[in-house]
Amino acid sequence: MKTFHCDNCGSLVFFENVKCVKCGHVLGFLPAAGELGALVPEGGQSWRPIASAFRNQLYRQCQNSSEHEVCNWMVLMADPNPFCESCRLNEMIPDLSIAENLERWRKLEKAKRRLVYTLMHLGLPTEGAPAENRPSLRFKFIADVPGGPPALTGHLNGLITLNIAEADDAERERRRVGFHEPYRTLLGHFRHEVAHYYWDRLIANSQWLAHFRELFGDETTDYAAALKRHHAQGPPPDWQTHFVSAYATTHPWEDWAETGAHYFHIVDMVETAHSFGVSLKPNHPAAKSMSTDLKRVDDRDADFETILASWFPLTHALNSLNRGMGLLDAYPFVLSDPAIEKLKFVHEVFRNSRIGK
């Protein structure tokens, strides 16, 4: 994700901010512009950006901002939809009569907006294509029912369902440790499930299917049996030589979803480093291969080899910084050559599927 600045005072601000911490100016994300803008009230529900490039447009707050304070995206006044481009993808939100669900939902929306930003940045489609029998992207947030089976996170026909228990940090960490996962986050869940969506949307019954099967395997193999086998036996001992994660070994669909999630990890982090003008020049001669200048990398237009050449040094630096704070590695994975070939395929599919490319 790129860096954002307050249009009023020039201070760096975060994507999630609703107010500049330096000058106090109200901030809101303008989806069509891809910018976090400083805003001034225009009377009634109207807000006007102060940046000259957007000053001729009037906006209003997303209804989920004005009613629940869970969103900072703006809606054009001329748009009849009360929700922003991210919130209008929701088919079901958590039950807000349960007090703690508001904070859970706030965390879910925070992660989801980062996902939607990336999809917009990459130009990936989210609207349905009825003529091709391809559904639109939607989200459903549900909770476990006392005495019932656990609510499962997953994807089906364009609908991504997420168990809101994942928004509780302690519960999510318990599951991460219990499932022997090096990485488990809300954003990671969203990226994994939306990759499933894009398999249905971009791969199934398309020109890409034959090449997909060459790299990932035959997706027509019994999915339920594959899941049962994985949970009973775990991954094969040599999984790191062919897959991005242990769970990717379960089935070709899961291999694609895990690889797609990693692709989103990579382009988001590279865009952020590029936006900050990061250059890495290790002092020791032996670390010369870890040198890179991310100012020269634009993840939207760069070829994947260029992105990857900067990704490896960046992850080494990030992991080293995290360890200096006693935190887990930011990217606790090793990419084998077969996994990199799959990532290149994801890059090719996504790049050729851009809207208005």
Side-chain angles (χ1 to χ4, degrees):
M1 178 169 289
K2 67 181 181 182
T3 54
F4 298 99
H5 301 79
C6 174
D7 298 316
N8 184 58
C9 70
S11 296
L12 279 170
V13 291
F14 288 106
F15 178 62
E16 296 82 9
N17 284 161
V18 296
K19 184 179 290 187
C20 175
V21 296
K22 183 176 182 180
C23 70
H25 228 86
V26 172
L27 303 173
F29 185 70
L30 315 178
E35 294 289 345
L36 191 67
L39 306 159
V40 292
E42 282 286 314
Q45 297 180 331
S46 300
W47 293 84
R48 187 184 298 278
I50 68 171
S52 59
F54 318 117
R55 199 174 293 163
N56 63 337
Q57 297 281 6
L58 287 178
Y59 292 83
R60 65 176 182 275
Q61 290 181 315
C62 172
Q63 186 169 306
N64 283 336
S65 173
S66 57
E67 290 190 1
H68 305 294
E69 298 182 346
V70 299
C71 181
N72 70 335
W73 285 27
M74 305 300 289
V75 184
L76 283 167
M77 287 297 294
D79 191 334
N81 197 312
F83 299 105
C84 72
E85 292 186 32
S86 177
C87 289
R88 67 185 60 173
L89 299 176
N90 292 343
E91 187 168 292
M92 178 183 288
I93 65 170
D95 180 1
L96 299 184
S97 67
I98 300 173
E100 56 266 30
N101 278 359
L102 179 60
E103 182 56 29
R104 291 170 178 157
W105 184 33
R106 184 173 287 115
K107 292 179 180 179
L108 291 168
E109 291 294 343
K110 181 178 178 181
K112 192 190 80 180
R113 286 195 300 274
R114 280 194 167 254
L115 170 74
V116 175
Y117 169 91
T118 299
L119 302 184
M120 293 168 59
H121 174 68
L122 295 177
L124 292 174
T126 59
E127 298 294 330
E132 301 173 14
N133 195 31
R134 298 184 190 276
S136 60
L137 178 64
R138 295 105 61 214
F139 295 90
K140 180 179 180 180
F141 304 131
I142 59 176
D144 293 333
V145 176
L152 298 179
T153 291
H155 164 264
L156 182 64
N157 297 328
L159 180 64
I160 291 175
T161 301
L162 198 68
N163 186 336
I164 65 171
E166 294 285 349
D168 292 325
D169 295 341
E171 175 59 23
R172 188 175 61 257
E173 178 64 7
R174 184 190 70 80
R175 296 183 184 197
R176 187 191 70 80
V177 173
F179 288 119
H180 308 289
E181 297 175 346
Y183 170 89
R184 190 182 182 99
T185 67
L186 282 176
L187 185 54
H189 280 310
F190 277 114
R191 287 172 173 166
H192 174 98
E193 298 304 337
V194 87
H196 276 302
Y197 168 73
Y198 284 115
W199 192 91
D200 285 354
R201 182 69 190 266
L202 305 176
I203 304 294
N205 304 314
S206 78
Q207 61 177 335
W208 302 106
L209 187 57
H211 193 189
F212 167 85
R213 288 174 175 168
E214 290 175 4
L215 292 172
F216 295 86
D218 182 3
E219 83 288 351
T220 64
T221 56
D222 192 314
Y223 180 69
L227 281 177
K228 184 177 180 180
R229 181 173 59 252
H230 176 80
H231 290 306
Q233 302 175 9
D238 64 343
W239 67 264
Q240 286 185 309
T241 62
H242 293 91
F243 300 90
V244 295
S245 71
Y247 191 62
T249 67
T250 304
H251 185 274
W253 281 339
E254 296 302 342
D255 192 7
W256 162 268
E258 285 288 273
T259 305
H262 280 249
Y263 180 80
F264 290 129
H265 297 334
I266 291 169
V267 296
D268 184 281
M269 297 286 276
V270 167
E271 185 194 5
T272 304
H274 167 81
S275 187
F276 272 101
V278 171
S279 294
L280 299 173
K281 299 179 180 179
N283 292 326
H284 198 283
K288 188 176 181 180
S289 63
M290 288 290 104
S291 297
T292 187
D293 186 355
L294 283 118
K295 296 192 297 292
R296 300 175 181 173
V297 181
D298 185 335
D299 67 279
R300 181 178 166 92
D301 296 313
D303 59 81
F304 191 68
E305 287 76 9
T306 300
I307 295 172
L308 205 65
S310 290
W311 175 243
F312 287 130
L314 179 61
T315 55
H316 191 86
L318 289 172
N319 289 346
S320 297
L321 289 168
N322 268 27
R323 293 181 187 194
M325 285 293 292
L327 299 173
L328 297 175
D329 284 352
Y331 189 75
F333 303 95
V334 176
L335 296 178
S336 64
D337 287 342
I340 289 171
E341 285 302 310
K342 294 173 188 177
L343 284 163
K344 288 180 182 177
F345 176 70
V346 173
H347 178 78
E348 184 179 2
V349 171
F350 284 175
R351 191 168 186 177
N352 281 276
S353 303
R354 287 182 186 172
I355 301 171
K357 60 186 179 187

